[in-house]
Amino acid sequence: MAYPVSPLASPFPALPPIAGVTARVVRAGYKDWGRCDLTYVELDEGTSVAGVFTRNLCCSSEVELGRANIGQGKARALIVNAGNSNAFTGYRGREAVEQIMGQVSAHLGCPPEQVFVSSTGVIGVPLPKDKAREGVEKALTAQPCTWEDAANTIATTDTFAKGATATAIVDGKTVTISAIIKGSGMIAPDMATMLGYLFTDATVEPAFLQECLSAANQRTFSCITVDSDTSTSDTVMAFATGKAGNAPLASFESAGADAFAAAVHDVCRQLAHLVVRDGEGAQKFIAVTVSGAISDESARKVGLAIANSPLVKTAIAGEDANWGRVVMAVGKAGEPADRDKLSIGFGGTWAAREGLPLADYDEAPVAEHLKGQDISIEVDLGLGEGQATVWTCDLTHGYISINADYRS
């Protein structure tokens, strides 16, 4: 089913090609939606890999096998199936993944452990092995596609293709990152919250690539939420082909390591924001900034309590400056908070300071701010130096409409 394009959509950027990476897409027919739904990305020998995966205990076999194999540090291929998550499908689901891994590894002449598979879509339906086999067979020899084609093919309820890019100077050479992501609903922090893939031509040792990705994830993907639901299939992976010719990045002591890590973070932040901007039914993009907490992690948890509150999200949808709902969300977060030190604002205008409504509070600028598409909520706990920003969207009737008929 096609959904109206989000009013918060961003145009797909011009993503540079990455040496050592070739993407292809085909239609396997996992759903009757008349579009490509299988993405095959071939990676040159020597490609390093890192990944973060959902902590959902009912995860898919794709996640289990990916988590088990990521430690060997090398990748030759990525397959992404859209329309069927292959989660909660028992041994039949695992057999389908192993079949894909074996089929691709035989074609490339590499160990199956270097073939990574992701699937996204309806939970509880085994991935059809015949469609997967035929789809992969077609994909192995299909014509190379654009990044935008690949981004559209991995999507499910997404209303626009999502991509991001960044560069860094490493060892005197320019290295490039190009990345795509899908995600719109079932978005909540507990690792990654969607399917996302970063590709770079930098030479990076697997352990350092993992360190960079994990750190970026903690401050980006693990700071977004659409509906507080963590998917069974969440995966974010990074692939480094080494074609840029820089001296290998092995740690933060390596020349250019800081610049590379910053570029990874930048790309992950861009992607995370795009997912929120395509939140199911979203009309507004909301940044919740919490300061004055006892720690950064405490600030993050308070921010997420606010961002996940249906009462806060519906108030923003209705452009209602109901800051009392923010007070409620702070108090229920389970983190240290003091009512008499709490300050709350919208769009840079404080409504309450140190536990009291401001006597001269003027709601007019706040009301004007809430009419826009980009909304900010500021909270100062007044307890310490901890701070964090999390991102979410409003909760509208559109979210209900999308999820009420998702399978049909």
Side-chain angles (χ1 to χ4, degrees):
M1 178 178 180
Y3 302 99
V5 176
S6 168
L8 307 175
S10 296
F12 194 82
L15 298 190
I18 301 297
V21 179
T22 304
R24 300 177 170 91
V25 298
V26 297
R27 183 182 177 191
Y30 294 125
K31 286 181 68 174
D32 185 21
W33 49 10
R35 69 165 177 85
C36 290
D37 52 8
L38 188 152
T39 304
Y40 168 56
V41 183
E42 188 171 316
L43 306 157
D44 280 6
E45 288 189 59
T47 296
S48 298
V49 64
V52 285
F53 302 88
T54 184
R55 295 174 183 169
N56 190 305
L57 297 182
C58 295
C59 65
S60 66
S61 293
E62 286 86 336
V63 168
E64 289 180 329
L65 288 163
R67 187 187 292 127
N69 294 334
I70 203 75
Q72 49 86 29
K74 296 297 179 184
R76 286 298 316 280
L78 168 70
I79 292 279
V80 185
N81 304 301
N84 183 321
S85 77
N86 198 36
F88 200 67
T89 54
Y91 73 90
R92 289 179 294 175
R94 189 179 182 93
E95 285 179 348
V97 184
E98 291 175 337
Q99 171 188 289
I100 291 171
M101 293 168 64
Q103 188 177 357
V104 176
S105 67
H107 174 75
L108 295 176
C110 70
E113 294 77 15
Q114 293 184 12
V115 177
F116 291 86
V117 183
S118 298
S119 299
T120 179
V122 173
I123 294 170
V125 179
L127 191 74
K129 289 195 288 186
D130 55 342
K131 291 183 178 180
R133 183 184 299 106
E134 293 171 5
V136 170
E137 188 63 31
K138 289 189 294 184
L140 295 176
T141 56
Q143 290 296 310
C145 69
T146 67
W147 287 120
E148 188 169 8
D149 290 336
N152 277 313
T153 300
I154 68 174
T156 49
T157 60
D158 302 59
T159 70
F160 64 94
K162 305 172 183 68
T165 186
T167 60
I169 303 299
V170 176
D171 187 35
K173 300 183 183 300
T174 299
V175 303
T176 303
I177 302 172
S178 289
I180 59 173
I181 199 164
K182 64 83 55 180
S184 184
M186 205 177 285
I187 303 294
D190 200 1
M191 177 312 291
T193 70
M194 65 259 109
L195 299 184
Y197 308 100
L198 287 71
F199 304 91
T200 179
D201 54 7
T203 306
V204 191
E205 294 295 332
F208 184 64
L209 187 62
Q210 184 67 56
E211 183 178 356
C212 291
L213 182 63
S214 295
N217 166 67
Q218 186 64 22
R219 293 182 290 147
T220 60
F221 301 127
S222 286
C223 289
I224 64 172
T225 179
V226 168
D227 48 22
S228 80
D229 286 331
T230 301
S231 170
T232 56
S233 306
D234 298 342
T235 299
V236 170
M237 301 184 72
F239 304 91
T241 66
K243 299 299 183 180
N246 60 284
L249 293 172
S251 73
F252 277 107
E253 299 300 316
S254 302
D258 288 339
F260 176 76
V264 170
H265 177 268
D266 180 29
V267 167
C268 290
R269 180 188 55 78
Q270 292 180 59
L271 296 177
H273 286 194
L274 289 171
V275 170
V276 173
R277 288 186 177 277
D278 202 17
E280 290 172 344
Q283 301 291 310
K284 298 180 186 292
F285 177 85
I286 306 168
V288 181
T289 300
V290 178
S291 60
I294 62 166
S295 68
D296 290 351
E297 181 58 21
S298 182
R300 175 178 166 274
K301 290 179 179 178
V302 171
L304 288 171
I306 298 166
N308 279 324
S309 166
L311 289 176
V312 172
K313 290 158 72 74
T314 51
I316 299 300
E319 300 175 357
D320 179 9
N322 191 342
W323 53 268
R325 294 183 176 183
V326 180
V327 174
M328 171 279 300
V330 171
K332 74 167 187 175
E335 292 297 310
D338 186 331
R339 177 198 64 197
D340 298 329
K341 295 182 179 179
L342 180 61
S343 301
I344 295 170
F346 296 88
T349 299
W350 292 105
R353 294 287 284 176
E354 298 180 346
L356 289 172
L358 290 176
D360 60 351
Y361 170 55
D362 180 4
E363 193 168 299
V366 174
E368 186 64 28
H369 175 68
L370 294 181
K371 291 178 182 178
Q373 290 185 333
D374 288 72
I375 308 301
S376 65
I377 300 173
E378 298 89 25
V379 172
D380 185 348
L381 299 177
L383 300 177
E385 301 299 320
Q387 57 185 342
T389 300
V390 303
W391 300 276
T392 189
C393 57
D394 56 343
L395 180 58
T396 71
H397 291 287
Y399 182 86
I400 298 171
S401 298
I402 290 169
N403 284 286
D405 64 5
Y406 177 61
R407 291 203 304 166
S408 56

